[in-house]
Amino acid sequence: MRIQQLEYLETIVKMGSINEAAKALYLTQPSLSNAIKELEKEMGITILNRSKLGVSLTNEGREFMIYSRQVLDQVQLLEGRYQKQVVRKQAFSVSAQHYAFVVHAFVQLIKTVNADEYQFTLRETETDNILSDLTNFKSEIGILYLNHFNERVMQKLFKEKDLIFTPLFTALPHVFVGRQNPLTKKEKVSLDDLVDYPYLSYEQGENNSFYFSEEILSTIDHKKSIKVSDRATIFNLMVGLNGYTISSGIISSALNDDKIVAIPLDVDDSMTLGWLKPRQSKLSSIAETYLKMLKQHIRGYGFEII
């Protein structure tokens, strides 16, 4: 086994295609494919599922990648220590449901990075994609919520995909509305108060199960319903259409210009927000720093870290 083979494999997994990885590595597709086949033969496992649509990791491949990443991290540490002329980009990636506190901590993290070059990725994405990003090593950390409705199903998926969920904090549901919405006059709103307002929620792509919804009470039928794909759009619709969504109650005024207001929702429910990682992987120092900043930001809104 050669370090170069592990680096090739990491690029393939990142690109999701041997052909695209070959272009990025300036190799021919057959030579790259053969290098991975030799690695599989030597290890005695099948690392990649190959199809016309691209490649994905097998269960054995996901486990192998955990150890491969640790080897490559150690190689980079050695090169950074003894090859001073080599410039290494700091890298970090997080996949999350649509939460302002996730973005705020990400911004703080980048501001503290002491490096001339870095490659950071923040994916605000569908719930199923968070799990996929972690199992395929596109992200180091995933952030989502559990409650009494989805917990059993989600925990089963975490176990199947060998992921660990660590709680961060528990929040009571809040309704997010534009500052000019008449509901802002209320200290607390009920479901009946919301009937005539457009309900805004995030679409979940092909896996549109109620259990994957980012909003609690996802099985309730609504007279007016609008699905969106990004946080900027959902905020614009809150302001422009007096729409609402349901979330944790944390709003970052620094990012949202005080246009959005959170009002407690009078329901018997709660949300436990937390972070995910592959069970056998060890967090990088950058990931540890990000989690520290995330917790500081959450505490700043009066929540207690679990």
Side-chain angles (χ1 to χ4, degrees):
M1 181 181 67
R2 302 186 304 277
I3 298 298
Q4 189 178 56
Q5 288 174 302
L6 302 183
E7 293 174 338
Y8 287 170
L9 178 61
E10 186 173 37
T11 303
I12 291 172
V13 171
K14 180 179 179 181
M15 306 293 290
S17 163
I18 293 178
N19 187 45
E20 292 301 316
K23 294 177 183 178
L25 294 166
Y26 300 99
L27 297 172
T28 64
Q29 189 273 338
S31 64
L32 180 56
S33 182
N34 288 336
I36 301 305
K37 288 179 180 178
E38 289 176 4
L39 178 62
E40 290 177 316
K41 183 178 179 181
E42 184 178 355
M43 295 295 102
I45 62 173
T46 300
I47 298 174
L48 297 175
N49 288 315
R50 298 163 173 85
S51 71
K52 293 181 180 180
L53 298 177
V55 297
S56 61
L57 288 167
T58 64
N59 289 335
E60 290 177 317
R62 284 196 291 270
E63 184 178 7
F64 181 83
M65 279 298 296
I66 290 172
Y67 294 104
S68 174
R69 282 279 170 82
Q70 293 175 6
V71 171
L72 292 176
D73 285 345
Q74 292 300 314
V75 170
Q76 290 190 2
L77 286 172
L78 283 171
E79 290 177 342
R81 174 67 177 83
Y82 295 105
Q83 294 180 337
K84 298 297 185 180
Q85 73 279 13
V86 177
V87 177
R88 291 285 176 180
K89 287 185 179 180
Q90 292 196 45
F92 172 66
S93 180
V94 57
S95 294
Q97 292 175 331
H98 300 75
Y99 299 120
F101 64 87
V102 171
V103 180
H104 195 279
F106 191 81
V107 170
Q108 288 182 313
L109 177 69
I110 293 178
K111 287 181 177 180
T112 64
V113 172
N114 185 22
D116 293 329
E117 297 185 25
Y118 57 78
Q119 182 173 328
F120 285 5
T121 305
L122 171 59
R123 297 183 179 92
E124 283 193 323
T125 187
E126 299 160 9
T127 302
D128 191 39
N129 286 345
I130 296 173
L131 307 186
S132 177
D133 287 349
L134 291 171
T135 55
N136 290 310
F137 298 93
K138 290 184 178 180
S139 286
E140 192 171 352
I141 290 175
I143 298 172
L144 45 69
Y145 87 93
L146 299 180
N147 73 337
H148 75 278
F149 175 73
N150 72 1
E151 183 171 13
R152 185 174 179 180
V153 171
M154 297 302 290
Q155 289 286 12
K156 183 175 182 291
L157 286 172
F158 298 163
K159 185 176 181 180
E160 290 175 356
K161 297 176 180 294
D162 208 22
L163 302 173
I164 296 177
F165 177 82
T166 302
L168 283 167
F169 69 104
T170 297
L172 297 177
H174 283 65
V175 172
F176 283 8
V177 296
R179 186 166 292 280
Q180 302 304 316
N181 192 303
L183 292 174
T184 57
K185 298 175 182 178
K186 294 178 172 290
E187 293 184 2
K188 182 179 291 187
V189 297
S190 67
L191 292 175
D192 288 340
D193 293 327
L194 301 171
V195 169
D196 293 325
Y197 293 90
Y199 171 66
L200 311 174
S201 62
Y202 291 106
E203 60 181 0
Q204 294 298 324
E206 295 180 3
N207 201 337
N208 199 24
S209 164
F210 288 127
Y211 297 108
F212 282 76
S213 173
E214 293 189 38
E215 302 81 21
I216 67 165
L217 309 173
S218 58
T219 58
I220 293 178
D221 189 32
H222 300 275
K223 288 170 56 178
K224 305 172 184 177
S225 179
I226 302 172
K227 287 191 176 295
V228 303
S229 59
D230 66 273
R231 196 156 45 84
T233 299
I234 210 169
F235 285 166
N236 286 338
L237 293 179
M238 287 177 202
V239 175
L241 294 177
N242 274 342
Y244 75 93
T245 192
I246 302 173
S247 192
S248 64
I250 295 183
I251 298 178
S252 175
S253 58
L255 297 176
N256 301 323
D257 298 325
D258 291 326
K259 294 179 181 178
I260 307 302
V261 177
I263 311 170
L265 179 61
D266 190 13
V267 293
D268 184 18
D269 206 341
S270 64
M271 308 166 63
T272 298
L273 290 95
W275 60 280
L276 282 168
K277 78 172 186 67
R279 181 179 301 277
Q280 298 182 25
S281 69
K282 182 180 179 181
L283 292 181
S284 66
S285 59
I286 295 180
E288 293 279 9
T289 300
Y290 176 73
L291 283 175
K292 181 179 179 181
M293 292 180 172
L294 195 65
K295 292 174 183 177
Q296 289 174 345
H297 187 58
I298 291 167
R299 289 192 187 97
Y301 279 86
F303 291 91
E304 182 178 347
I305 298 298
I306 297 174

